[in-house]
Structure formats: structure tokens, C-alpha cells
């Protein structure tokens, strides 16, 4: 087993996370659902099914129709004024662009990063699923040339450049598509840009939002969709996956820069790799043992590690009769180049929880593995009871995690692998390592931390307060009021333990700030977002950061 800790110059820190998946509005709720074994795929009553141009009434009455949905809550909502958009522009914008823009903003807030003040280059690599939104808008007819141009510029193909324009990102801005592996490929490209010092910070993200969401699907024998609306990765009953909707963005920075700047680090990316299967497989959509094994081996080599160093693998894990056996065979082939050990490495898949998120699937897996490292636990893989007889687990290095398992720190850093494979053969694999422990604060640093709650209405601020870290209460709150163009927001930050309730303090501060709002702008206070609550618990910035770009009310916490 290798104990090589690598070079800080080639390690990439994950310093910000934002996600919206079925059943979870943020990363904290996502982790709670994972560890508690919550399935966020729900059956839709017949009367609640939404009409879809791809689903006729006759199909919905077919005996093999499956009325389930893995929904992204709020996918049809958007605060246009917050991003300085006219209602018409927001209406014509692809819903995937809208939720991605919100998620990218939240990721920047989680990383305490303000593009307007950051001196370096911030790049963005992102991808979206195919969308019918433009066609639907075109179907309304009566488009003049200017309207047609506006519609085309707000389509999913412009995901990265539109977000960079709205957020003020001045680094590379690339939209990409490799089907189901898009999200993890975006992470790999972002890491390469940081390693080449083409960027100082990079965002990697992906989104899949198929509207309408509550439309169900038709099961067809031999295809990848499940006959009963459940995904059972690696199980003897595995018969297919379930389509889901979600969006995720991670903020990446060279580890040495993150530690220098005092950033909170969720986990470290030690290495990553992408490749393509080429033509050595039975068909264009089929997976390849050779291609998957090679990309896993290349990622381990780049990380300077061997298979014996990995304690957990977040697999692609679609729960299909063909895909799961090929994936475990490829993992076993890659790992057998380094070790003959059996049954030592945990294996799991997030798809039974939230469905197959297509372009965002790889990022869902990456975030799950990152949170497992941060929380020192490995969540269970839902619906796993008996191993698939087509998979030789007994002679492999792997066992499927069927219950919540502790994963504490030890003398050797904990590491995890994450796989994502796309139809068409583009494979991606990343190797993660636990975040280094924060350095002890010097005696001159005050043992306090600034926590910022932001909201564009009293109700939004209440929601942030409800999600506060347990045990933290305010005393003598202070505030500063600031308005960005089209982003009138207020925030309250408690200063110590004891004193009045968070909610009363926050609302009082909100009223004080709102009273200072310039005349004629009060209508903007009805917005719904300037952030999605507090960051996932973890070590804070050395300078007490974790603020919000939109507004800041500062005070200290122990």
C-alpha cells in the first residue's frame, strides 16, 4: 500500500459545494437523506401527471407505463430581478440555465468568493442535457428576428457563457456534453485548467431538468429504465434505472492556494482522468470493460496512489443488468494491477436515492463521496439485499455498503474513487482524499467566526435562520447594509451565545436594513433567494469569512 501524500502543487481543493437534487434543496439536506436512506423517487397520482409532447394519453394507459418522478423542487421558479433580468428574458431562458445560474451563485457564496473583488481568473466548465424548451417557445410562433436571436442565446448550449456573463467570471467559459459523464468530465477539465495555471479558481457544474417533470415513462424490455420505478444498483433484482432531475456546482482551487487563503476545504482531488472506449465494444451505447478499467488506472497513476489506498468507490451504478456487472469487472481489473486483497473496499451508488441525473450524475456521485469524507461516514446503497449473481463479488476487492458505516480518520488519509460513464463511451474517474486538518490558530487570532445569513425577504431570512448550526445563538448583533445592482438583500449575523432568539434578531435586523432601502425599490423585497442557508458545517476561513456577496452584516461567533 502506498502512503504517498502527493505534491500539494497537483492537489485540487473543493472549497465550495451547491446542489439541488430530488428531495433536497441543498447539500446539507442531500447528506441527511443519504445517511438516513431516503428514496427521493416518488409515485405520481394519475391526476397529477403533467402533459408532455413525448407522452401521449394512450401511452399513459399502457400496462408498462411507470408513473414516477425524481423532481427538482422549484425547477419552474426563478427570481429574475435578483440577476438583473427582464421578465421576458427569464421566461425565454431554458429552465436548466435558470436553476444552474442560481446554483452557481450559491456555490460562490459557499466558497466565500466574490468575482467582483477577486483579482484572479475564475473559469467555468458546465454542461446541460438536451432540452425541448427552445422548440416549445418557437412553437408559439410570431417571433421577430430580434426575439429569435434572444431565444437562441438563452438555450442550454449557452449555459457556461451566459452564467459567466451574469456572474462576472473572466476565466475560460466552456459548455460541454458527454452524456451521463458530463459533470465529472467538467470537474476533470476544471482541474486541468488549475494545474496549468490557466485559472486561479474554477467552477465545474452540470444540470439536468426535463420539463415537465411529472410525466412518467414507458418501460421497454432491454432498455435502461426500471419496470417498477426503483433503482437497485448491484442487487440481484436490478432491472434498470429511473430518470431524475438535478443541478450541482463545485468550486475548485489549488490546495496550496486554498490553505494559504484560509479557505474551508471539503475534500481534495488527488487525480482524475477521462478517456473514450473507441470502437472495441458491441455498440455505440454499450459500456466497455477495457475503457473503464483504463480510466480508473490512469486516475490512480496521476494521483500517485495504488488501489490498496482506496477505501470507498462511488460507482456509476445504474442498476442495469448489463451495466453493473461490466462496471465491477472493470473496477476489479484496474484494482488487480495493484492488489490481490478481497472484500476490503466499500462500493456504493447514489442513483437508488435520486435516480439517474444524466449530465449531473457524476457530480451527484462526487458530492456524495466528498460529504462522506467530510462527515466520516459511508451512506448505505438503497435496495441492496442480495448481490447480483452476474457479479463475482467474492473474488473482487469490493463489497456493497448496505447500511450506514462509520469511516473515521486514521493514521493514513482516507481516499475514495468516483466513476461516471457516458453513453458514447466517454469515461471519467476521480480520486478524492480527506481534507487536511486546519492548522491551529495563532494566539493573536480571535476564536470567533463570522456567519452570514442573507435573504431578500423576511420569510427568506427566516428559512436561513431555521437552518442554523445547532447550539449557536446571537448576542449584540451588528449589521452593515449594502445593495448591489438588482440585488437588494439584507443579512443578520449573531455575535455570540445567549441573548434573544435568532429569528427575532434576524427579522429585527432585516427590518432595520429594509427601512434604509431607497424609495421606489421596495418591490424587489419580495424575491426568494440570495443564498440557500448556511454552509455545511466545517472549519471556517481563518479570516472569519463565509460571507455573502449580496450583502453583509457582520458579528462574531465562538
Amino acid at each position: 500500500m502506498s502512503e504517498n501524500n502527493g505534491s500539494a502543487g497537483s492537489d485540487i481543493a473543493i472549497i465550495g459545494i451547491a446542489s439541488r437534487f430530488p428531495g433536497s434543496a441543498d447539500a446539507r439536506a442531500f447528506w441527511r437523506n443519504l445517511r438516513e436512506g431516503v428514496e427521493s423517487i416518488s409515485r405520481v397520482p394519475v391526476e397529477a401527471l403533467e402533459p408532455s409532447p413525448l407522452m401521449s394519453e394512450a401511452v399513459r394507459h399502457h400496462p408498462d407505463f411507470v408513473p414516477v418522478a425524481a423532481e427538482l423542487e422549484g425547477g419552474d421558479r426563478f427570481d429574475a430581478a435578483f440577476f438583473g433580468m427582464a421578465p421576458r428574458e427569464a421566461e425565454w431562458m431554458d429552465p436548466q440555465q435558470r436553476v444552474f445560474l442560481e446554483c452557481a451563485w450559491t456555490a460562490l457564496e459557499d466558497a466565500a468568493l466574490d468575482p467582483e473583488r477577486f483579482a484572479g481568473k475564475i473559469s467555468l466548465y458546465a454542461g446541460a442535457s438536451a432540452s425541448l424548451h427552445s422548440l416549445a417557445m418557437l412553437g408559439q410562433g410570431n417571433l421577430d428576428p430580434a426575439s429569435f436571436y434572444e431565444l437562441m442565446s438563452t438555450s442550454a448550449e449557452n449555459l457556461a457563457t451566459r452564467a459567466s456573463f451574469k456572474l462576472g467570471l473572466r476565466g475560460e467559459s466552456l459548455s460541454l456534453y458527454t452524456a451521463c459523464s458530463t459533470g465529472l468530465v467538467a470537474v476533470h477539465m476544471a482541474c486541468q485548467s488549475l494545474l496549468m495555471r490557466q485559472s486561479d479558481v474554477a467552477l465545474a457544474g452540470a444540470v439536468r431538468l426535463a420539463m415537465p417533470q411529472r410525466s412518467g415513462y414507458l418501460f421497454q424490455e432491454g432498455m435502461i429504465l426500471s419496470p417498477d420505478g426503483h433503482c437497485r444498483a448491484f442487487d440481484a433484482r436490478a432491472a434498470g434505472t429511473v430518470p431524475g432531475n438535478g443541478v450541482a456546482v463545485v468550486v475548485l482551487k489549488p490546495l496550496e492556494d486554498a490553505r494559504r487563503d484560509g479557505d474551508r476545504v471539503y475534500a481534495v482531488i488527488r487525480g482524475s482522468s477521462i478517456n473514450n472506449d473507441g470502437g472495441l465494444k458491441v455498440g455505440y451505447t454499450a459500456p466497455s470493460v477495457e475503457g473503464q478499467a483504463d480510466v480508473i488506472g490512469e486516475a490512480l497513476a496521476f494521483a500517485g496512489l495504488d488501489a490498496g489506498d482506496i477505501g470507498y468507490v462511488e460507482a456509476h451504478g445504474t442498476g442495469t443488468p448489463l451495466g453493473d456487472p461490466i462496471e465491477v469487472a472493470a473496477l476489479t481489473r484496474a484494482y488487480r494491477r495493484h492488489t490481490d486483497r478481497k472484500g476490503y473496499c466499500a462500493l456504493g451508488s447514489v442513483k437508488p436515492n435520486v435516480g439517474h441525473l444524466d449530465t449531473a450524475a457524476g457530480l451527484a456521485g462526487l458530492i456524495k463521496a466528498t460529504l462522506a469524507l467530510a462527515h466520516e461516514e459511508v451512506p448505505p446503497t438503497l435496495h441492496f439485499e442480495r448481490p447480483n449473481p452476474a457479479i463475482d463479488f467474492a473474488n473482487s476487492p469490493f463489497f456493497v455498503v448496505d447500511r450506514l458505516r462509520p469511516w473515521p480518520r486514521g493514521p493514513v488519509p482516507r481516499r475514495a474513487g468516483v466513476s461516471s460513464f457516458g453513453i458514447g463511451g466517454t469515461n471519467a474517474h476521480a480520486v478524492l482524499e480527506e481534507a487536511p486538518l486546519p492548522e491551529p490558530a495563532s494566539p493573536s487570532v480571535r476564536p470567533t467566526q463570522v456567519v452570514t445569513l442573507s435573504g431578500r425577504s423576511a420569510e427568506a431570512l427566516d428559512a436561513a435562520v431555521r437552518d442554523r448550526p445547532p447550539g449557536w445563538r446571537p448576542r449584540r448583533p451588528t449589521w452593515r447594509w449594502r445593495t448591489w445592482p438588482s440585488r437588494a438583500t439584507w443579512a443578520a449575523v449573531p455575535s455570540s451565545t445567549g441573548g434573544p432568539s435568532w429569528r427575532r434578531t434576524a427579522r429585527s435586523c432585516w427590518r432595520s436594513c429594509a427601512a434604509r432601502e431607497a424609495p421606489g425599490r421596495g418591490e424587489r423585497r419580495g424575491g426568494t433567494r440570495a443564498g440557500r442557508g448556511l454552509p455545511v458545517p466545517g472549519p471556517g476561513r481563518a479570516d472569519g469569512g463565509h460571507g455573502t456577496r449580496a450583502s453583509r452584516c457582520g458579528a462574531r461567533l465562538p
Side-chain angles (χ1 to χ4, degrees):
M1 177 181 293
S2 168
E3 295 190 15
N4 175 17
N5 288 323
S7 167
S10 62
D11 291 344
I12 303 298
I14 301 173
I15 65 170
I17 292 176
S19 67
R20 291 169 62 186
F21 297 135
S24 59
D26 54 32
R28 178 176 294 153
F30 178 52
W31 175 251
R32 182 172 60 246
N33 288 345
L34 289 174
R35 72 183 309 275
E36 294 176 0
V38 174
E39 182 182 34
S40 298
I41 301 168
S42 57
R43 296 195 74 82
V44 182
V46 174
E47 62 274 12
L49 288 169
E50 298 175 299
S52 169
L54 302 179
M55 202 70 61
S56 68
E57 194 65 26
V59 168
R60 289 185 171 175
H61 289 88
H62 193 282
D64 290 331
F65 178 73
V66 185
V68 299
E71 295 182 72
L72 190 160
E73 185 179 354
D76 58 344
R77 302 171 191 167
F78 182 61
D79 189 347
F82 183 78
F83 293 100
M85 293 185 190
R88 170 168 157 163
E89 180 186 3
E91 180 184 0
W92 285 17
M93 180 178 286
D94 190 302
Q96 295 184 119
Q97 275 208 22
R98 296 198 295 252
V99 299
F100 181 84
L101 188 57
E102 291 179 332
C103 195
W105 172 276
T106 306
L108 288 169
E109 279 198 329
D110 190 51
L113 190 63
D114 180 0
E116 292 180 5
R117 303 181 195 178
F118 187 70
K121 286 187 175 182
I122 304 175
S123 294
L124 172 61
Y125 306 86
S129 296
S131 174
L132 298 177
H133 180 73
S134 296
L135 292 177
M137 298 301 292
L138 287 170
Q140 296 180 8
N142 301 318
L143 287 181
D144 55 64
S147 299
F148 180 80
Y149 175 80
E150 184 177 5
L151 176 61
M152 292 300 100
S153 68
T154 56
S155 64
E157 291 82 358
N158 305 102
L159 181 73
T161 51
R162 173 68 63 168
S164 293
F165 168 67
K166 289 296 182 181
L167 299 177
L169 310 183
R170 298 182 298 275
E172 298 175 344
S173 185
L174 300 177
S175 295
L176 58 107
Y177 181 78
T178 61
C180 318
S181 60
T182 298
L184 202 56
V185 170
V187 170
H188 172 77
M189 294 182 68
C191 289
Q192 293 302 303
S193 176
L194 294 169
L195 292 174
M196 296 294 291
R197 290 294 178 175
Q198 296 170 323
S199 308
D200 299 288
V201 172
L203 276 66
V207 56
R208 196 266 185 176
L209 179 56
M211 301 292 281
Q213 298 192 70
R214 296 185 176 186
S215 58
Y217 62 83
L218 182 66
F219 167 73
Q220 293 177 287
E221 193 70 41
M223 303 301 286
I224 68 168
L225 297 180
S226 166
D228 62 358
H230 298 289
C231 177
R232 300 179 175 87
F234 310 116
D235 190 79
R237 300 169 296 160
T241 193
V242 179
N245 297 286
V247 57
V249 178
V250 293
V251 183
L252 309 177
K253 193 176 191 179
L255 178 60
E256 58 186 1
D257 294 358
R259 302 199 74 179
R260 177 199 65 207
D261 297 338
D263 292 314
R264 182 255 328 274
V265 178
Y266 286 99
V268 176
I269 301 176
R270 286 288 304 270
S272 63
S273 182
I274 61 175
N275 71 0
N276 193 275
D277 295 332
L280 299 178
K281 56 184 183 178
V282 297
Y284 175 72
T285 62
S288 164
V289 172
E290 292 79 7
Q292 293 181 17
D294 286 348
V295 80
I296 294 165
E298 290 163 4
L300 285 168
F302 187 86
L305 301 169
D306 65 41
D309 298 316
I310 309 300
Y312 173 68
V313 171
E314 174 61 26
H316 190 60
T318 55
T320 58
L322 177 65
D324 286 359
I326 286 181
E327 180 169 9
V328 177
L331 277 164
T332 300
R333 179 179 295 189
Y335 276 43
R336 284 291 176 251
R337 298 168 185 168
H338 303 277
T339 179
D340 293 326
R341 295 169 62 196
K342 298 177 182 178
Y344 74 91
C345 185
L347 184 70
S349 172
V350 72
K351 290 178 177 63
N353 297 86
V354 298
H356 193 334
L357 305 186
D358 193 49
T359 43
L363 273 170
L366 181 85
I367 292 173
K368 175 185 173 183
T370 297
L371 296 178
L373 287 165
H375 290 275
E376 302 185 22
E377 293 178 315
V378 180
T381 297
L382 289 186
H383 308 314
F384 182 81
E385 296 177 359
R386 293 180 296 110
N388 187 330
I391 302 175
D392 186 11
F393 280 115
N395 293 308
S396 81
F398 307 101
F399 67 93
V400 179
V401 183
D402 59 357
R403 64 185 185 279
L404 183 67
R405 302 176 68 96
W407 196 18
R409 285 179 178 264
V412 177
R414 296 163 300 136
R415 287 135 181 165
V418 181
S419 291
S420 189
F421 310 125
I423 288 177
T426 296
N427 309 306
H429 190 79
V431 179
L432 306 184
E433 184 174 282
E434 65 185 28
L437 292 172
E439 297 178 1
S442 65
S444 62
V445 177
R446 288 172 292 185
T448 59
Q449 181 179 346
V450 172
V451 178
T452 302
L453 307 176
S454 63
R456 297 187 62 212
S457 67
E459 293 74 18
L461 198 58
D462 273 351
V465 171
R466 286 194 299 270
D467 202 24
R468 67 192 185 278
W472 287 7
R473 298 179 181 178
R475 187 176 66 195
R476 297 188 304 277
T478 60
W479 52 270
R480 295 199 303 272
W481 175 79
R482 184 168 185 176
T483 299
W484 263 254
S486 303
R487 298 187 182 118
T489 64
W490 301 270
V493 181
S495 59
S496 185
T497 57
S501 72
W502 271 58
R503 185 169 303 178
R504 187 164 67 253
T505 302
R507 291 182 69 96
S508 175
C509 183
W510 184 90
R511 285 194 296 270
S512 299
C513 295
R516 299 179 55 132
E517 175 67 337
R521 296 185 62 182
E523 69 277 3
R524 287 183 179 167
R525 295 204 295 267
T528 56
R529 60 170 288 107
R532 289 190 172 270
L534 296 170
V536 176
R541 291 173 58 96
D543 61 0
H546 290 83
T548 172
R549 171 188 176 190
S551 65
R552 198 163 289 181
C553 296
R556 297 184 179 87
L557 287 175

